[in-house]
Amino acid sequence: MTAAKFTPRVFSGIKPSGGLTLGNYLGAIKRWVDMQGDAFETIYCAVDLHAITVWQDPAELRNSTREIAAALIASGIDTERSILFNQSQVPAHAELSWIFNCVARVGWMNRMTQFKDKAGKNTEKVSLGLYAYPALMAADILLYHATHVPVGEDQKQHVELTRDIAAKFNNDFKTEFFPLTTPVIEGPATRVMNLRDGSKKMSKSGQSDMERINMTDDADTIAKKFRKARTDPEPLPETLDGLKGRPEARNLVDIYAGLSGKTSEQVITEFAGAGWGRFKPALADLAVDKLAPISTEMSRLMADPAEIDRIMGRGAERAEEIAQPILKKTYDIVGLLRSR
Ligand code: AQP
């Protein structure tokens, strides 16, 4: 079955589990902005129910949720054109997630690499929610019959699981109700890596602040973090092939490409033979140039939390208008009696 009979619709989300990073910006937010237009309906969500799979301080959770809204609006999400809301205001996410918990197989969940990374050796002690997280993510997407999900590389396996859940549901109930959603993983910076260790991705909750660029970092902090970013002593090569086996160098080139809108090949051509003394300050200047106006606008928006809450509430109402009929039909298909 193809997704052809479904309205072209984008859904994607970010967890309010801390301050937003350059990884979130390049892997998700910047691309969400670009996907607004005539080709798709666009729905963007602060996925707060995902955030609580690990303990969150309640006041910080509320603040991070608002910060996601502020970051999206400041980056160019138009809240008339796109639907913007936080997940817990539309209870249908949690309801559909339970149904998908009953469709997904334990063996599928056991293969999820993000769970293994996050749980580490501690699998007995982490929350059941962290383990079941991919079924909630499938519900987030399929509740809107989303046909496309723009994500970073790290989320590819979860979108593939979403397709497996949709296919099994359709097969179990002899229907073609859910689309097989396409993950959209495009551009030079779909996996922004940790600045101190090029084998790990840049994360909000990584141990040291020096590992990541936060969207709200000031110019001096950004310059310092890039200056101290781990690299090797070699200058930049003539071609991208020359970056094989140099993950930290490759990461900085990809970040430059993502921020400038160029390809990584173009960046290498521009900086062929340059040492880090030239490349790192150029990268810092570019990052400040792109992030400073966003961060200033975020501060302005965050000064009026009531207005952010109003926008999210209105977004939740619009989201619910799409979600409710899909949830109701799902209950009918499954055979859950509804008499009121
Ligand atoms: N380093 C990254 N490079 C590219 N894309 C990234 N994304 C996150 N980190 C990178 C993309 O941002 C979107 C939202 O992700 P998320 O914050 O909801 O979840 P996550 O991927 O688990 O992010 P973190 O920062 O690693 O959170 P913590 O540390 O709290 O677990 C997704 O599209 C993701 O691909």
Side-chain angles (χ1 to χ4, degrees):
M1 189 184 68
T2 68
K5 73 179 171 114
F6 296 94
T7 304
R9 189 176 284 147
V10 162
F11 176 93
S12 204
I14 299 187
K15 266 185 324 198
S17 49
L20 292 162
T21 71
L22 187 60
N24 295 128
Y25 179 68
L26 293 176
I29 300 174
K30 187 168 182 289
R31 297 166 53 227
W32 298 2
V33 172
D34 295 342
M35 288 188 96
Q36 296 182 117
D38 297 333
F40 297 104
E41 278 179 30
T42 42
I43 306 175
Y44 298 126
C45 188
V47 284
D48 45 7
L49 297 175
H50 286 283
I52 61 167
T53 54
V54 298
W55 192 84
Q56 304 290 334
D57 175 85
E60 281 176 23
L61 175 61
R62 254 187 300 275
N63 189 59
S64 301
T65 304
R66 291 185 180 122
E67 192 181 274
I68 287 177
L72 294 184
I73 297 167
S75 301
I77 295 296
D78 171 349
T79 57
E80 288 305 314
R81 192 187 272 193
S82 295
I83 296 177
L84 171 62
F85 69 109
N86 60 306
Q87 182 188 28
S88 61
Q89 294 213 68
V90 179
H93 287 251
E95 292 180 68
L96 186 60
S97 154
W98 178 256
I99 292 178
F100 288 166
N101 277 338
C102 302
V103 173
R105 306 288 92 181
V106 167
W108 301 357
M109 297 295 170
N110 287 341
R111 285 194 285 277
M112 294 298 112
T113 56
Q114 196 184 67
F115 177 75
K116 289 182 198 159
D117 290 347
K118 294 212 156 151
K121 295 198 178 77
N122 219 8
T123 45
E124 297 285 313
K125 297 256 170 70
V126 295
S127 76
L128 185 54
L130 188 68
Y131 186 67
Y133 172 121
L136 175 59
M137 180 162 157
D140 299 334
I141 295 167
L142 294 174
L143 187 58
Y144 301 95
H145 279 180
T147 55
H148 295 78
V149 182
V151 280
E153 183 67 40
D154 60 314
Q155 292 295 338
K156 183 167 182 238
Q157 195 187 29
H158 290 163
V159 183
E160 282 163 359
L161 185 94
T162 299
R163 292 168 65 92
D164 291 341
I165 289 176
K168 184 166 181 353
F169 182 98
N170 289 347
N171 189 51
D172 286 353
F173 294 101
K174 305 284 167 280
T175 175
E176 296 203 334
F177 186 58
F178 287 115
L180 301 188
T181 306
T182 306
V184 185
I185 302 169
E186 284 170 352
T190 53
R191 189 168 176 81
V192 177
M193 307 309 279
N194 179 320
L195 298 181
R196 303 316 283 271
D197 177 351
S199 68
K200 292 190 189 145
K201 80 161 189 157
M202 185 182 285
S203 272
K204 297 186 207 85
S205 53
Q207 272 180 349
S208 156
D209 197 52
M210 292 301 285
E211 294 171 4
R212 60 182 167 264
I213 304 287
N214 302 302
M215 285 184 71
T216 51
D217 280 345
D218 61 29
D220 288 347
T221 309
I222 291 176
K224 184 168 115 197
K225 287 181 176 175
F226 279 129
R227 199 168 56 244
K228 293 197 175 269
R230 186 169 156 193
T231 39
D232 50 43
E234 301 299 315
L236 284 170
E238 307 274 321
T239 64
L240 269 189
D241 270 356
L243 287 177
K244 281 210 181 99
R246 300 175 62 187
E248 285 88 7
R250 176 71 205 235
N251 187 37
L252 296 188
V253 168
D254 289 345
I255 291 174
Y256 193 102
L259 285 168
S260 62
K262 295 177 180 161
T263 63
S264 301
E265 285 84 354
Q266 286 169 326
V267 175
I268 276 292
T269 307
E270 192 179 330
F271 286 95
W276 296 110
R278 185 177 144 218
F279 187 76
K280 282 181 170 178
L283 176 58
D285 285 349
L286 176 64
V288 170
D289 212 42
K290 299 289 172 190
L291 294 182
I294 297 176
S295 144
T296 306
E297 180 60 5
M298 278 172 74
S299 306
R300 194 189 66 77
L301 292 163
M302 287 296 281
D304 188 356
E307 176 59 9
I308 292 184
D309 294 0
R310 190 196 64 74
I311 291 170
M312 298 279 244
R314 170 75 190 115
E317 281 167 13
R318 290 169 66 198
E320 196 139 57
E321 277 169 28
I322 302 173
Q324 269 307 327
I326 291 175
L327 181 69
K328 183 174 178 305
K329 179 74 183 163
T330 309
Y331 280 145
D332 287 345
I333 292 171
V334 173
L336 299 171
L337 181 73
R338 315 280 281 169
S339 58
R340 64 179 183 89

